[in-house]
Amino acid sequence: MLQSQLFCKTKKETPREAISISHKYLVRADFIEQTISGVYRFLPLGFRVLKRVEGIIREEMQNLGAQELYLPALQDKSLWLETNRWETIDPPLFKLKDRHQKETALGSTHEEEITDIIRQRINSYQDLPVCLYQIQNKFRNEMRATGGLLRMREFLMKDLYSFHGNGKDLINFYQKVKKTYFKIFKRCNLKTLCVEASSGTIGGELSHEFMVLSDKGEDKILICNKCLWAANVEKTGEIKKCPKCKGVLERRNAIEVGHIFNLGTKYSEKMSANFRDKEGKTKPIIMGCYGIGLPRLVATIAEVHHDEKGIIWPKDVSPFNIHLIKIENSLKINKLTEKIYQDLQRAGVDELRLSSLFANARVVDELRLSSPFANARVIEVLYDDRKEKSAGEKFADADLIGIPIRIVISERTLKRDSVEIKERNKKETKLVKIARLSHFIRNW
Ligand SMILES: [Zn+2]
């Protein structure tokens, strides 16, 4: 993509309301923009990151064997009355009346909807287990929505629901989801801790949160310095000693990036979602639900990966793979940079495009293997071709936007038939011969 065509206006000023690093940089780099409290527009660069995170999550959900569906945000009041959550859920629902005075709500979660779908379709133990997920907007009527994308009132969320005939089957699946979650966060270059958590008004018997340690986190967790047992303070209260090994507990702030629940029969009993077991006995279906808020995940990545100049995106979630920058405007430089720009893009398979065409990760893998670039990396290039910007302005924008590799072409590098390469997370630069460039990039 040519940067002269990119819809992005970086800013020098920090937004006044920004209290977190991620908020400050995401606004300054023109990834996002707040409209009203807790509601954000995603501009093209921000939307690219969101889509890449979504791609990782979708791939891992497919690997787990979950099927994707889509449920509406606008939900019928009657379903919420069945579970008695119309008035009690916290934070409260955004409620609406249509022109016929019929009451609806914008969904903050979808247990009622999904249980309604299941009870109409599951009859026997032979129909179980089932796991379904969606990536869809949620609405939460938060008292306080600050911290940019860390706490929002409308946000994209992946919610997965599983349905089982017995508790053991649910526990097995719950453990599998835990592994999948660790993998998703690792692909986003985040170190997470899985902690025992309070289930709130989603409810159920047991829940775990995935936490990223950060001073900006709103959650307080306790970690045992001996056995590494960890829990949210909401769950345990202010205890001093580890309940597992009596070790000393350390108190830390953390950002919750995922939450998984063993719901047991909380919803199936209230909504009569039953099945017949092997002996023909009618029993309530056992449920689990598993959520990841996508914008918060994006913000957490920026919260962890940045320096004093801007964001440092991990490779797998960066809006582009390479930032190509030309410094002078001679005919020779223009021609050569254009050629390098074309060559770099051809050197890779465009994973983003493949993933969006084929929801199934296996299809993407097969295509990749059958392509002439079987071993090539995915390469999307942002080419700073802007004529009116100085070298200093281009570098400042590049650091702020945070693409992991920067390639610079100037008269100085050309004298040595080279380009200058700098990784965003390193201080030093290196010269690489132009003839070796594609090779260098593929092996990076
Ligand atoms: Zn311990």
Side-chain angles (χ1 to χ4, degrees):
M1 166 121 219
L2 298 177
Q3 200 161 345
S4 59
Q5 305 294 310
L6 178 71
F7 191 74
C8 169
K9 287 266 185 278
T10 58
K11 300 169 185 67
K12 287 205 173 64
E13 332 66 68
T14 298
R16 237 185 315 145
E17 71 279 11
I19 50 171
S20 66
I21 294 275
S22 60
H23 189 188
K24 175 175 136 187
Y25 283 148
L26 289 169
V27 170
R28 280 190 50 209
D30 214 18
F31 281 53
I32 60 164
E33 175 170 83
Q34 180 169 296
T35 58
I36 53 175
S37 170
V39 181
Y40 286 83
R41 298 173 173 144
F42 274 77
L43 294 148
L45 278 179
F47 196 58
R48 276 179 168 262
V49 176
L50 193 67
K51 282 283 154 190
R52 293 207 73 187
V53 167
E54 185 180 319
I56 290 173
I57 293 174
R58 182 170 282 119
E59 244 178 67
E60 295 303 336
M61 286 298 109
Q62 306 281 355
N63 289 340
L64 192 64
Q67 295 178 55
E68 188 168 8
L69 45 60
Y70 176 84
L71 305 174
L74 209 53
Q75 298 185 16
D76 189 348
K77 178 182 180 181
S78 66
L79 286 176
W80 289 88
L81 290 178
E82 285 190 50
T83 58
N84 197 27
R85 290 208 295 178
W86 179 253
E87 297 294 346
T88 57
I89 194 165
D90 181 44
L93 294 166
F94 278 109
K95 294 175 184 175
L96 306 161
K97 261 190 199 150
D98 72 11
R99 62 201 300 171
H100 310 292
Q101 301 303 307
K102 187 174 165 57
E103 286 185 280
T104 55
L106 292 172
S108 59
T109 180
H110 279 79
E111 283 80 19
E112 283 79 0
E113 280 270 329
I114 199 94
T115 309
D116 183 49
I117 291 177
I118 285 293
R119 68 180 166 185
Q120 298 177 56
R121 287 168 179 80
I122 301 295
N123 299 308
S124 134
Y125 71 95
Q126 286 164 317
D127 300 328
L128 295 167
V130 172
C131 54
L132 301 165
Y133 78 100
Q134 61 168 346
I135 298 174
Q136 183 261 18
N137 270 17
K138 298 283 183 277
F139 297 82
R140 302 227 167 134
N141 205 342
E142 299 280 0
M143 179 71 83
R144 230 167 40 89
T146 56
L149 304 185
L150 290 172
R151 187 163 295 279
M152 294 165 74
R153 299 200 297 164
E154 175 182 347
F155 62 95
L156 193 62
M157 181 171 170
K158 184 282 297 171
D159 41 336
L160 166 72
Y161 302 88
S162 72
F163 303 88
H164 308 265
N166 62 69
K168 202 177 144 211
D169 195 48
L170 179 129
I171 293 293
N172 285 339
F173 187 76
Y174 192 88
Q175 296 302 340
K176 263 205 221 165
V177 176
K178 256 193 201 175
K179 273 194 194 148
T180 295
Y181 269 37
F182 277 126
K183 203 167 156 203
I184 289 169
F185 300 130
K186 195 172 167 204
R187 288 181 68 181
C188 296
N189 208 2
L190 291 176
K191 276 190 206 131
T192 46
L193 277 171
C194 183
V195 312
E196 289 182 23
S198 149
S199 298
T201 42
I202 303 283
E205 297 167 5
L206 175 75
S207 85
H208 286 89
E209 287 165 320
F210 290 78
M211 294 289 194
V212 174
L213 296 179
S214 162
D215 292 339
K216 280 287 167 292
E218 289 183 2
D219 284 279
K220 308 254 182 297
I221 60 170
L222 299 168
I223 311 169
C224 172
N225 63 0
K226 263 196 200 156
C227 73
L228 297 180
W229 172 88
N232 197 315
V233 171
E234 276 178 8
K235 161 94 177 173
T236 58
E238 297 287 351
I239 55 172
K240 296 270 179 283
K241 291 223 160 114
C242 171
K244 287 244 164 97
C245 76
K246 305 279 171 238
V248 178
L249 294 174
E250 190 194 345
R251 198 186 149 104
R252 297 287 296 271
N253 279 38
I255 304 170
E256 178 220 304
V257 287
H259 201 161
I260 61 178
F261 301 83
N262 174 348
L263 298 171
T265 55
K266 172 172 171 168
Y267 296 90
S268 48
E269 277 183 32
K270 285 183 178 145
M271 295 181 70
S272 306
N274 300 317
F275 72 104
R276 278 187 316 278
D277 71 3
K278 271 184 189 162
E279 284 76 42
K281 256 185 24 201
T282 298
K283 286 182 172 167
I285 297 169
I286 296 169
M287 283 174 60
C289 75
Y290 319 84
I292 296 177
L294 277 71
R296 187 187 288 180
L297 186 52
V298 168
T300 308
I301 296 168
E303 211 57 58
V304 173
H305 300 288
H306 66 267
D307 62 13
E308 71 290 350
K309 292 177 177 165
I311 306 169
I312 306 172
W313 293 110
K315 275 193 261 188
D316 290 347
V317 300
S318 176
F320 289 90
N321 303 98
I322 294 175
H323 206 157
L324 177 65
I325 298 174
K326 73 171 161 120
I327 299 296
E328 288 94 359
N329 275 312
S330 72
L331 193 63
K332 196 177 167 198
I333 288 210
N334 288 350
K335 265 193 162 167
L336 186 75
T337 319
E338 180 64 29
K339 183 173 182 309
I340 290 174
Y341 173 53
Q342 298 299 345
D343 285 353
L344 283 174
Q345 292 179 102
R346 267 199 293 272
V349 181
D350 187 335
E351 186 165 30
L352 203 65
R353 215 165 301 148
L354 281 180
S355 313
S356 64
L357 282 175
F358 302 99
N360 187 331
R362 232 167 276 139
V363 176
V364 177
D365 278 342
E366 278 164 21
L367 276 177
R368 201 176 294 140
L369 287 174
S370 63
S371 98
F373 306 112
N375 298 315
R377 284 188 186 279
V378 175
I379 298 175
E380 281 206 282
V381 183
L382 180 63
Y383 167 23
D384 195 345
D385 60 331
R386 295 175 299 172
K387 292 198 172 70
E388 73 285 4
K389 297 281 179 187
S390 70
E393 287 172 307
K394 288 185 176 189
F395 291 154
D397 277 352
D399 283 338
L400 181 61
I401 290 169
I403 296 166
I405 303 185
R406 186 183 83 185
I407 299 180
V408 175
I409 302 173
S410 66
E411 294 292 352
R412 185 179 67 84
T413 68
L414 270 197
K415 272 184 199 139
R416 299 174 65 177
D417 291 322
S418 297
V419 295
E420 181 199 88
I421 296 189
K422 182 179 174 297
E423 291 179 47
R424 178 67 185 84
N425 61 354
K426 293 193 177 134
K427 289 265 175 284
E428 71 275 14
T429 57
K430 58 187 142 200
L431 285 177
V432 172
K433 292 279 182 220
I434 290 168
R436 300 269 306 152
L437 185 57
S438 292
H439 176 82
F440 179 88
I441 293 298
R442 277 189 204 154
N443 291 301
W444 178 63

